Amino acid sequence: MERFPVSPGEGPQDPDRSREPPGTATATIDEQGIVTGWSDSARRLLGYATSEVIGLPAARLLADAGTRTPTTRRIPSGQKRWNGTVALRHRDGHRLDVELLAHHWTSTGEGAKWLVVSPVPGRPRTPWSEPMEQWAFTQSPCRTAIFDTDLRLLRANAGMERALSLPEAAMRGLRLPDIAPDPASEETERRMRLALETGEPQHVGAFVHRAGTGGEQGWQTSLTPLRGPDGRVRAVCLAAHDRAGAERARQQTSLPTEADALIGTSLNSARTAQELCDVTVPRLADFMAVDLLDPPPSDNEPYSVPVAEPVTLCRTAVRSVLEGSPESPVGVGGTTVYPALSPPAECLAAGRGAVHATNDAVIARWVARDPGAAWIREHGVHSVMTVPLRSGGTTVGLAVLGRHRRPEPFGPEDLRLMERLTTRAAVTMRGARRHSRERTNTMALQRSLLPQSLPVQSALEIASRYLPASTESGVGGDWFDVIPLSGARVALVVGDVVGHGMRAAATMGRLRTAVRTLADVDLPPDELLTHLDDLIIHLSADEAGSEGAGNAAGGIGTTCLYVVYDPVSRRCTIARAGHPPPAVVSPEGAVYLLDVPAGPPLGLGGLPFESVESELAEGSILALYTDGLLQIRDHDVDDALDSMFAALARPAATLEAVCDRVLTGLLTHRPEDDVALLVARTRVLHGDRVAVWELPPDPSLVALARRRTTDQLTAWGLDEAAFVTELMVSELVTNAIRYGRPPIQLRLIHENSTLICEVSDASSTAPHLRRARTFDEGGRGLLLIAQLAERWGTRHAPVGKTIWAEQSLAGY
């Protein structure tokens, strides 16, 4: 391809080229040789305005256009750069020989083109001089020294003086092993001699070890023979680059990003403090300690340190490049006391960090006054940094850092970086304190909502356990309850609210209250869950209206298991809403899960619940639990069930021992979810404690019912209760005959210190209290029963109802 070598360049319309340095002419030429860009300096160089050049073939600018002279070059295909002298024609016709540099490149969205640049003749340039060479040598960041043919030092720049800790004047004329006695110096000198003899460059690792470091500094060292005008080797140049320093700079650049991922992985202040130390040492410091205020300050009260008083903190984390962190005289968990006016105390008082050399007066005074600061002198610390841990105007502690292996002291950039890291740690620590307070409050609320003691009843022997979650997400909403019902029956409830924290605990309290209210109405288990399902839907709808849809899921997804045990019939009626089924241990030791339809979790609506009945032998154990018991670490549900079955099957003297055995067998760690466990052993009210009579619907038989009641009470030795019981039986039987439908049944239950009187009929109409007028002959029966009984009420069956009344026998 025949092409004039003036390569395409960016014109003034290109914002990057518009900022070209004065005196640099640029032009751009496309692949067809057409000028597409023309800078103002190019106009001054050749005299052509932009409008006169853009769109013209670049070849027209050649002084020898149309001839094949040496200035017309053939650029090989694929070549990306060309440089040389080209004869150009000025607009006024005179010839210009111009040094050009052409680059072939591809611009985003514009395709391939050539960029041509040239210095404008006549621009004043800084002359190169011998002083400039001297400056370049002495001020180079590279450690450089020149040795003569006898391998004696001629010159050393400032970097080499710092590396060897000696001025050039003290080293001139000495061999490297004389300057720094070390095996590495001997090896470096051997390589220098090889470079002199062969004339070939040599490479070596560290040319010298600093005293006391015990290892290489990570210097990349090159040895270059220096030749005179005659080509003979006259000296050798040693140049060393600090690879370790470059690596440290890279680490410091990447440290903030890494710290974001490594600091604050948990809501635990001690762990966060240790993470801060682990991130910082050895990348930024050789030693670091974190001391926290104990007790921590309130978020609402900014912490202030009295300048003239000592400061007491708790050593929470340490890290050192030395094994065992010998710089810390106090172990983790110990108390650290900083004297008044010491750098740590002043750092806390001022609320800002500081960097000190160990020869500073304030450090010397601290070391002299405080035995706890002896580590600075004993371990050769040459630079100390103190940084407060602050967030939102609140100080939570202090970080103390030291350098004794790194030769360079802490600088302002180190302080700014450390302030960023400590701020991140402080934010997490404040969050941890808030989380701890919220967790404490949530646990207090939850425990206040759980049963404080189990009610006295004779149907079941009961034991329970509740373990709150140990995770950062907080306490959950698991709950259990034991509710005495009419007819000596008992309801057992276990539930699990979705979520954790205060919201879950509050929702749990509302649901537990609702369950107790619905249980008092004596609803069957499936109906009770249906009403509870409706309640959660209404509560969630209310929350959606007041808090927004994002917070409207409180309670939705709650699981619940509701069990009613009747000690007279020995039958359990059970329904569950997405909850694990109960386990049963027979008196013979067989363990199995009751087959109960799962049902949907509460709050979904529109799906039915189903109750099942199961007859349990006297002495059977019933275990109700939440799913946190089965969600154990490193085990699946089947393994957890096997472990629970094994624990339940082993004989135990008490139910308390059964609970302990189950928890010990399943929980090898603190639970990650709440665990509620309710264990009950069935008892039975035998026939000698229950009397039942079928009554015809004849008003004349009310007297017979009273007589049979009196005879039964005499048989039970309850003659003193006969008068009150006769009145209640008379009123209940009369109401059943008058307003109910046959069959009519009278049942008396003697349950320890309670006497229960029940009258059933086939009518579903429930009686209610009403106020009788002065001359009314009726209407006072239920009012009389309400006055005589401790509790009374109505429970409905699939067919008919039962009116019951309980009276205490404690006074008889």
Side-chain angles (χ1 to χ4, degrees), residues 545-611:
S546 60
E547 301 180 22
N551 295 322
I556 293 179
T558 295
T559 64
C560 185
L561 175 66
Y562 188 75
V563 179
V564 176
Y565 174 68
D566 187 344
V568 177
S569 65
R570 295 186 293 110
R571 299 189 70 80
C572 262
T573 306
I574 309 163
R576 63 188 180 114
H579 201 85
V584 175
V585 184
S586 70
E588 295 77 24
V591 185
Y592 58 94
L593 294 177
L594 283 177
D595 186 12
V596 183
L602 298 173
L604 302 183
L607 298 174
F609 301 96
E610 185 177 348
S611 295

Side-chain angles (χ1 to χ4, degrees), residues 298-656:
S298 169
D299 287 344
N300 299 324
E301 299 178 5
Y303 179 75
S304 60
V305 177
V307 178
E309 296 182 13
V311 182
T312 302
L313 301 100
C314 176
R315 172 105 344 144
T316 308
V318 295
R319 179 72 185 268
S320 171
V321 295
L322 304 178
E323 185 176 357
S325 301
E327 302 97 325
S328 176
V330 178
V332 173
T335 300
T336 303
V337 180
Y338 292 113
L341 303 180
S342 64
E346 291 183 340
C347 171
L348 284 173
R352 59 177 179 270
V355 172
H356 301 279
T358 51
N359 57 4
D360 290 350
V362 65
I363 297 292
R365 184 170 60 249
W366 178 28
V367 173
R369 294 174 53 196
D370 183 10
W375 59 276
I376 297 176
R377 180 180 59 254
E378 293 172 356
H379 295 278
V381 175
H382 63 83
S383 186
V384 175
M385 180 163 55
T386 55
V387 186
L389 274 67
R390 288 176 58 82
S391 171
T394 300
T395 301
V396 299
L398 169 78
V400 179
L401 303 90
R403 282 182 177 174
H404 48 74
R405 276 197 171 179
R406 287 192 179 200
E408 67 276 9
F410 289 117
E413 292 184 0
D414 298 316
L415 179 58
R416 285 192 292 269
L417 176 58
M418 201 61 218
E419 286 174 340
R420 174 175 175 177
L421 300 186
T422 54
T423 297
R424 175 166 181 80
V427 169
T428 301
M429 291 176 183
R430 288 184 65 198
R433 290 206 309 273
R434 286 194 297 269
H435 173 78
S436 178
R437 288 195 298 269
E438 290 173 2
R439 178 181 172 85
T440 300
N441 294 337
T442 301
M443 290 183 64
L445 172 63
Q446 189 178 50
R447 292 196 177 279
S448 69
L449 297 174
L450 290 172
Q452 304 302 304
S453 62
L454 299 178
V456 177
Q457 43 78 40
S458 58
L460 297 168
E461 176 191 354
I462 295 177
S464 65
R465 292 289 186 274
Y466 178 82
L467 296 179
S470 61
T471 59
E472 297 172 2
S473 54
V475 179
D478 292 16
W479 92 93
F480 65 90
D481 210 346
V482 179
I483 308 171
L485 301 177
S486 64
R489 298 168 306 133
V490 176
L492 304 178
V493 191
V494 174
D496 185 356
V497 174
V498 174
H500 296 81
M502 189 71 72
R503 183 186 186 87
T507 301
M508 177 270 286
R510 300 170 81 174
L511 295 182
R512 178 172 177 255
T513 301
V515 170
R516 294 188 70 92
T517 301
L518 295 170
D520 284 343
V521 186
D522 259 322
L523 293 176
D526 56 337
E527 292 187 27
L528 183 141
L529 292 181
T530 299
H531 284 282
L532 199 61
D533 185 50
D534 293 338
L535 173 64
I536 290 179
I537 292 173
H538 291 314
L539 290 177
S540 298
D542 291 342
E543 292 179 1
S546 60
E547 301 180 22
N551 295 322
I556 293 179
T558 295
T559 64
C560 185
L561 175 66
Y562 188 75
V563 179
V564 176
Y565 174 68
D566 187 344
V568 177
S569 65
R570 295 186 293 110
R571 299 189 70 80
C572 262
T573 306
I574 309 163
R576 63 188 180 114
H579 201 85
V584 175
V585 184
S586 70
E588 295 77 24
V591 185
Y592 58 94
L593 294 177
L594 283 177
D595 186 12
V596 183
L602 298 173
L604 302 183
L607 298 174
F609 301 96
E610 185 177 348
S611 295
V612 296
E613 285 192 354
S614 179
E615 187 171 315
L616 300 179
E618 184 176 7
S620 298
I621 294 178
L622 196 62
L624 288 70
Y625 50 90
T626 55
D627 59 3
L629 184 66
L630 303 181
Q631 295 174 352
I632 54 179
R633 196 178 305 175
D634 303 326
H635 290 80
D636 59 25
V637 174
D638 291 337
D639 291 338
L641 281 173
D642 291 342
S643 298
M644 184 178 72
F645 283 7
L648 289 172
R650 292 172 56 190
T654 64
L655 293 185
E656 298 290 338

Side-chain angles (χ1 to χ4, degrees), residues 88-152:
L88 301 178
R89 181 72 61 188
H90 192 274
R91 188 174 185 277
D92 61 11
H94 76 272
R95 176 190 179 107
L96 288 175
D97 290 330
V98 180
E99 288 289 333
L100 296 181
L101 175 61
H103 304 275
H104 187 262
W105 66 301
T106 301
S107 177
T108 303
E110 297 182 15
K113 54 186 173 182
W114 286 87
L115 167 67
V116 180
V117 296
S118 174
V120 176
R123 178 179 180 271
R125 299 182 181 181
T126 303
W128 182 258
S129 63
E130 185 175 337
M132 210 172 272
E133 295 179 358
Q134 177 71 13
W135 299 338
F137 177 81
T138 58
Q139 298 178 29
S140 170
C142 179
R143 298 168 174 86
T144 307
I146 299 175
F147 294 82
D148 62 16
T149 53
D150 293 329
L151 299 183
R152 297 183 180 278

Side-chain angles (χ1 to χ4, degrees), residues 665-748:
L666 271 73
L667 302 180
T668 56
H669 303 78
R670 286 296 303 273
E672 297 179 356
D673 193 7
D674 288 15
V675 173
L677 175 64
L678 191 61
V679 178
R681 180 181 283 121
T682 62
R683 297 170 177 155
V684 174
L685 286 175
H686 297 284
D688 59 343
R689 290 298 186 99
V690 181
V692 182
W693 299 280
E694 298 291 335
L695 300 175
D698 185 353
S700 64
L701 296 178
V702 174
L704 176 62
R706 289 199 300 268
R707 187 163 56 253
R708 289 180 176 176
T709 298
T710 302
D711 294 342
Q712 185 62 55
L713 293 180
T714 300
W716 285 339
L718 301 175
D719 297 276
E720 295 183 4
F723 176 74
V724 173
T725 306
E726 280 188 34
L727 286 176
M728 290 194 295
V729 167
S730 178
E731 292 297 333
L732 293 176
V733 171
T734 299
N735 282 344
I737 293 174
R738 180 176 298 176
Y739 304 110
R741 292 201 302 264
I744 297 172
Q745 182 187 83
L746 169 63
R747 183 169 75 159
L748 298 179

